[in-house]
């Protein structure tokens, strides 16, 4: 029987992605909804990692198994790493990504290629019932292009160009994106840390 982990998200797509990565482990990841937990969490940390820890600890207050949470977003160097932890709220929570992406492109008007660097960041925290916390972070580096390209993915994917692959993350299929993405990297390193933890290593 696999050990359950609650992932502090309401997003089913994320659970599917995580379970694909955790498939060959002794863990099964379920959503808050599957665990019968329905709470709204105030993410008032000042970094991705603080927010991930806040979310996992809040759920842990009413759970009796390992709880994992993530926080992610886009950092644009020329904009002093904005929108960063405010990526979802940038330009307004209900504003479409077509508009959010246009706002970023406009803010970079006239900015040279070399100064258009950006990255997606993902921090993951796993909190154990005994209070122990494991954390990981994953990033993928890219460049903000001048117009949207591609229709896969979500959010800022259409303006995030990865030079190594000569395409935006919205032009990659799910499998290719998972291989290089911030979330894929953070999840795979969390999986490795959890397995060492299970075997008694710190
Ligand atoms: P969350 O932490 O998954 O809620 O993501 C926060 C926000 O960061 C999302 O709403 C997107 O705006 C942005 N974001 C995070 N990961 C990605 C990605 O892989 N592609 C595009 N946008 C992303």
């Amino acid at each position: 029987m696999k050990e359950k982990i609650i992932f502090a998200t309401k997003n089913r797509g994320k659970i599917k992605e995580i379970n694909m990565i955790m498939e060959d482990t002794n863990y099964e990841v379920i959503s808050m909804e599957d665990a019968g937990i329905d709470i709204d969490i105030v993410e008032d940390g000042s970094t991705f990692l603080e927010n991930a820890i806040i979310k996992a600890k809040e759920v842990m207050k009413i759970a009796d198994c390992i709880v994992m949470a993530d926080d992610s977003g886009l950092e644009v160097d020329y904009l002093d790493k904005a929108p960063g932890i405010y990526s979802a709220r940038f330009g307004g929570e209900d504003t479409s990504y077509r508009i959010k992406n246009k706002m970023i492109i406009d803010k970079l008007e006239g900015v040279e290629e070399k100064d258009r660097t950006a990255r997606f960041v993902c921090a993951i925290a796993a909190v154990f019932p005994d209070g122990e916390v494991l954390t990981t972070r994953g990033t993928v580096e890219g460049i903000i292009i001048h117009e949207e390209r591609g229709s896969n993915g979500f959010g800022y994917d259409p303006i995030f160009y990865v030079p190594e692959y000569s395409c935006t993350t919205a032009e990659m299929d799910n499998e290719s994106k998972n291989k290089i993405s911030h979330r894929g990297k953070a999840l795979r390193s969390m999986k490795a840390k959890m397995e060492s933890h299970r075997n008694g290593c710190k």
Side-chain angles (χ1 to χ4, degrees):
M1 199 59 177
K2 290 199 171 199
E3 186 174 350
K4 284 204 180 348
I5 297 176
I6 299 173
F7 201 95
T9 184
K10 293 179 180 171
N11 179 340
R12 290 198 168 270
K14 255 189 205 175
I15 301 288
K16 209 169 144 197
E17 184 183 320
I18 297 161
N19 270 318
M20 269 166 65
I21 290 174
M22 299 298 265
E23 203 171 43
D24 58 347
T25 68
N26 237 329
Y27 297 108
E28 182 196 353
V29 180
I30 62 169
S31 66
M32 294 206 300
E33 197 184 346
D34 292 335
I37 296 173
D38 183 16
I39 51 167
D40 284 317
I41 303 164
V42 182
E43 294 173 35
D44 54 2
S46 58
T47 62
F48 293 111
L49 191 54
E50 274 178 26
N51 279 337
I53 294 173
I54 288 171
K55 283 189 253 185
K57 286 194 168 167
E58 271 308 300
V59 174
M60 178 53 93
K61 286 183 186 161
I62 45 173
D64 54 2
C65 60
I66 303 168
V67 180
M68 234 188 241
D70 74 342
D71 195 41
S72 61
L74 175 72
E75 288 182 352
V76 180
D77 292 324
Y78 188 79
L79 304 178
D80 293 327
K81 300 200 173 169
I85 56 167
Y86 303 106
S87 292
R89 289 165 268 177
F90 177 69
E93 195 99 42
D94 297 327
T95 305
S96 73
Y97 274 91
R98 179 136 296 174
I99 294 174
K100 290 182 201 253
N101 284 336
K102 173 89 172 52
M103 284 169 67
I104 295 203
I105 290 168
D106 287 350
K107 282 177 186 284
L108 295 189
E109 200 185 329
V111 175
E112 281 181 60
E113 226 47 41
K114 67 173 180 50
D115 295 323
R116 302 179 72 95
T117 50
R119 72 201 52 76
F120 280 128
V121 181
C122 176
I124 299 185
V127 178
F128 290 73
D130 66 3
E132 185 157 6
V133 180
L134 298 181
T135 60
T136 59
R137 182 184 153 95
T139 58
V140 54
E141 299 289 327
I143 284 170
I144 302 299
I145 51 171
H146 299 264
E147 70 281 300
E148 293 196 337
R149 268 177 57 176
S151 53
N152 298 329
F154 68 102
Y156 300 101
D157 280 329
I159 58 166
F160 188 82
Y161 181 83
V162 187
E164 224 181 315
Y165 291 84
S166 306
C167 64
T168 66
T169 40
E171 292 175 306
M172 293 181 177
D173 57 42
N174 282 351
E175 207 179 322
S176 312
K177 187 181 163 192
N178 285 348
K179 275 193 192 133
I180 64 138
S181 81
H182 48 316
R183 203 171 353 264
K185 286 177 186 165
L187 271 171
R188 284 188 292 275
S189 62
M190 179 54 80
K191 170 177 160 177
K193 275 199 181 178
M194 303 253 318
E195 295 198 308
S196 318
H197 183 265
R198 186 182 261 274
N199 296 330
C201 313
K202 286 271 171 184

